[in-house]
Amino acid sequence: MSGVIVTDPPKAALKDVDALAGFGVATVSEAMGRTGLLGPGIRPVQQGVRVAGTAVTVLSWPGDNLMIHAAVEQCGEGDLLVVTTTSPCTDGLFGELFATALRRRGVRGVVLNTGIRDTRELRAMGFAAWSRAVSSQGTVKATGGSVNVPIAIDGQVVRPGDAILADDDGVVVVPRERVRETVEKSEAREAKEAATRAAFLDGQLGLDRYGLRETLQRLGVEYRTYAEYEGGRP
């Protein structure tokens, strides 16, 4: 497998990426029209952590982490490494030594569509990580791949320089051209949710706040007492 290492790709503005970190993954995905999620299979190895960064992408061969080594050189302050393979792989391509090298370069975390290991050490050092699997299976460094090219995870395209937001709920990608717009839409969504939260605390029902009684009626959903329901059974 031949490949390419692309240097100096365009990136989302870091100030906008930092602003994105003020919102949850669910809020940001909803703000983009329920898009951008990298799927439920990628889970955090820690809890209570939210990070946002600009993507440095890696396309590797299964069971081979050579291109992660190559990607470290391309990483810098505010980046977040995103790794996938040419076919499904759960081997532990990433561990504590990689995290040590990446932290030295200002990298904020890693998202792997593969396996990860040294999870205890990663939690102890506070290096944020999300992966599809946890596996002690080792790897080789023998096959070419690519760095900073568009990759796909669970049907979502991640380009180098796109914004990545990750928290306990999963991971979302925001196209680099849409980060500022998405921050503004997320702010509006949070303001709307705050008003709804206040209404719920005051006792209002979602059925009334969202006008759902009319929806139930339109769909033919009926209210019946227990006696009516039991009496109407054949």
Side-chain angles (χ1 to χ4, degrees):
M1 175 183 175
S2 60
V4 62
I5 298 172
V6 179
T7 62
D8 301 317
K11 296 182 179 182
L14 201 53
K15 63 179 179 62
D16 294 334
V17 174
D18 289 341
L20 198 68
F23 309 99
V25 164
T27 295
V28 169
S29 175
E30 293 281 354
M32 291 195 299
R34 294 183 295 164
T35 62
L37 294 173
L38 301 193
I42 297 181
R43 304 300 305 148
V45 303
Q46 68 286 305
Q47 290 292 306
V49 174
R50 181 189 296 160
V51 298
T54 45
V56 172
T57 60
V58 180
L59 180 63
S60 290
W61 195 260
D64 193 312
N65 66 5
L66 172 63
M67 299 315 296
I68 299 180
H69 284 279
V72 172
E73 183 182 26
Q74 303 305 315
C75 290
E77 191 71 36
D79 284 336
L80 200 151
L81 193 67
V82 185
V83 180
T84 193
T85 47
T86 56
S87 60
C89 171
T90 58
D91 296 346
L93 267 65
F94 186 97
E96 176 261 337
L97 292 179
F98 270 136
T100 300
L102 289 174
R103 168 165 283 179
R104 175 66 178 79
R105 302 181 75 86
V107 175
R108 296 176 174 179
V110 64
V111 173
L112 298 143
N113 193 29
T114 66
I116 197 171
R117 60 185 187 177
D118 302 335
T119 56
R120 179 179 179 181
E121 289 80 3
L122 293 174
R123 286 190 292 270
M125 66 186 292
F127 189 82
W130 286 255
S131 70
R132 187 164 295 278
V134 174
S135 174
S136 298
Q137 178 63 49
T139 59
V140 299
K141 302 163 181 60
T143 314
S146 294
V147 175
N148 278 335
V149 299
I151 60 175
I153 298 177
D154 204 37
Q156 295 293 331
V157 174
V158 180
R159 301 170 305 162
D162 284 347
I164 301 293
L165 176 68
D167 64 15
D168 290 347
D169 291 338
V171 184
V172 64
V173 56
V174 181
R176 56 182 180 254
E177 303 89 350
R178 297 186 58 192
V179 178
R180 183 68 251 167
E181 165 200 344
T182 302
V183 168
E184 293 170 354
K185 289 183 176 180
S186 296
E187 289 172 344
R189 183 170 184 83
E190 284 221 331
K192 181 179 178 181
E193 288 183 352
T196 299
R197 187 176 301 109
F200 287 172
L201 286 171
D202 199 40
Q204 186 177 17
L205 296 175
L207 284 173
D208 299 313
R209 184 165 185 84
Y210 300 135
L212 298 178
R213 295 191 189 279
E214 292 80 1
T215 302
L216 291 175
Q217 185 177 26
R218 176 172 54 82
L219 294 174
V221 179
E222 300 178 346
Y223 282 86
R224 294 186 182 181
T225 66
Y226 182 78
E228 289 171 336
Y229 176 71
E230 286 295 302
R233 294 177 64 181

